[in-house]
């Protein structure tokens, strides 16, 4: 990019509405300088969105920005961390004022909500992609990880599941019958609310946690592998929204969607019996509902049951939109 084009884009990002006191030096120098609170560990995560792989060219810049930051915030939420600073590597095929303005709007709205300050980045020419590195902190030794679930622990998820995939189906061209419902589901795909407050509230209570980006079934498997345990999930307990049930019209189909839908950005976590009673009080201020969907077992398998009946469902994995229409049964 020429110097002028570059300056133009960088100027957009230099006007940072979030100004944190722990940022000693923000955008403009070779590096940023930040203060990590005493007694805390730095928590770092990176996510990349590539046009054509993670979002369609028709997606609004503002939605893409929200999704890029939300996926990083969700990773920090799953660690029980407090988000603080981020950097943004933006690759664009050409300077596009309108796109950058829209991106900034979506980015800033979410960054302000969680008081995340953009402290640097890079701007290059190439196929459109967005990489955000988000930093946060957590009191030393208190981060939630995937390893730590024990047999007997209860298994929970936040929010409702399945709508992200249902929204993506519309984005990929499914004919709209009910406009309001389609809008709700599409928003659920692009505009997930990362469970940052809930994640922090779960420190000291949850024995393991992960955010649902690849689908509950796949992400729960990560907890089981890291913890060396198994789980029994009662699909009748999966939290399904009215919109999803109305959309799918069949409870079993909705349950399968809840197990496989990715980019949900809800949390899946385990809680030892002794802390289970504290959960409601703990999460009261996070504004998030949680649902117990099963229990951790010692047998290294992920079993699905409906009430007590074993199920032999074969589930497809989440694959963004490479194979959007394959059979999910
Ligand atoms: P350098 O050559 O040292 O990498 P640049 O000219 O790339 O510096 O960037 C100048 C300043 O602008 C740096 O502080 C950098 O972090 C910031 N910056 C560049 N691109 C972005 C962006 N997309 N978002 C936020 N900050 C950016
Ligand atoms: Mg640079």
């Amino acid at each position: 990019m020429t110097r002028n084009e570059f300056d133009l884009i960088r100027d957009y990002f230099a006007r940072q509405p979030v100004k944190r006191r722990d940022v000693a030096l923000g955008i403009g120098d070779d590096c940023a300088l930040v203060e990590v609170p005493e007694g805390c560990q730095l928590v770092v995560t990176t996510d990349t969105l590539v046009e054509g792989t993670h979002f369609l060219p028709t997606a609004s810049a503002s939605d893409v920005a929200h999704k890029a930051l939300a996926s990083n915030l969700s990773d920090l939420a799953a660690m029980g961390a407090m988000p603080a600073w981020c950097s943004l590597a933006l690759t664009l095929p050409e300077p596009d004022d309108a796109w950058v303005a829209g991106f900034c709007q979506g980015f800033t709205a979410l960054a302000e909500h969680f008081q995340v300050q953009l402290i640097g980045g890079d701007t290059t020419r190439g196929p459109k992609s967005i990489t955000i590195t988000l930093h946060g902190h957590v009191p030393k030794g208190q981060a939630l990880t995937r390893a730590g679930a024990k047999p007997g622990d209860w298994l929970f998820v936040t929010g409702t599941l399945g709508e992200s995939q249902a929204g993506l189906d519309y984005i990929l061209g499914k004919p709209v019958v009910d406009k309001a419902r389609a809008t709700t589901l599409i928003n659920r795909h692009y505009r997930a609310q990362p469970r940052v407050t809930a994640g922090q509230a779960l420190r000291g209570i949850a024995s393991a946690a992960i955010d649902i980006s690849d689908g509950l079934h796949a992400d729960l498997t990560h907890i089981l592998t890291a913890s060396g345990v198994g789980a029994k999930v009662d699909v009748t307990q999966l939290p399904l929204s009215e919109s999803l049930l109305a959309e799918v019209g069949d409870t079993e189909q909705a349950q399968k969607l809840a197990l496989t839908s990715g980019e949900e950005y809800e949390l899946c976590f385990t809680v030892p019996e002794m802390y289970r009673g504290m959960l409601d009080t703990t999460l009261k201020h996070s504004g998030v509902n949680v649902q117990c969907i099963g229990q951790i077992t010692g047998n290294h398998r992920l079993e699905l049951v409906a009430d007590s009946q074993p199920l032999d469902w074969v589930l497809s994995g989440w694959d963004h939109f490479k194979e959007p229409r394959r059979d999910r049964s």
Side-chain angles (χ1 to χ4, degrees), residues 6 10 13 27-30 88 118 120-123:
F6 176 88
R10 203 188 49 191
F13 293 104
I27 291 175
D29 213 304
D30 293 318
L88 166 68
L118 181 65
D122 204 13
T123 311

Side-chain angles (χ1 to χ4, degrees), residues 255-276:
Q255 289 163 343
K256 286 180 179 173
L257 268 185
L259 287 164
T260 55
S261 172
E263 295 173 6
E264 292 282 340
Y265 303 126
E266 295 293 350
L267 299 179
C268 170
F269 59 96
T270 57
V271 177
E273 168 69 23
M274 66 182 294
Y275 296 134
R276 190 179 178 179

Side-chain angles (χ1 to χ4, degrees), residues 20-35 85-86 117-120:
R20 296 176 57 99
R21 291 168 55 169
D22 52 15
V23 175
L25 191 58
I27 291 175
D29 213 304
D30 293 318
C31 291
L33 296 171
V34 299
E35 314 280 349
W85 319 287
C86 73
Q117 183 170 343
L118 181 65
I119 54 168

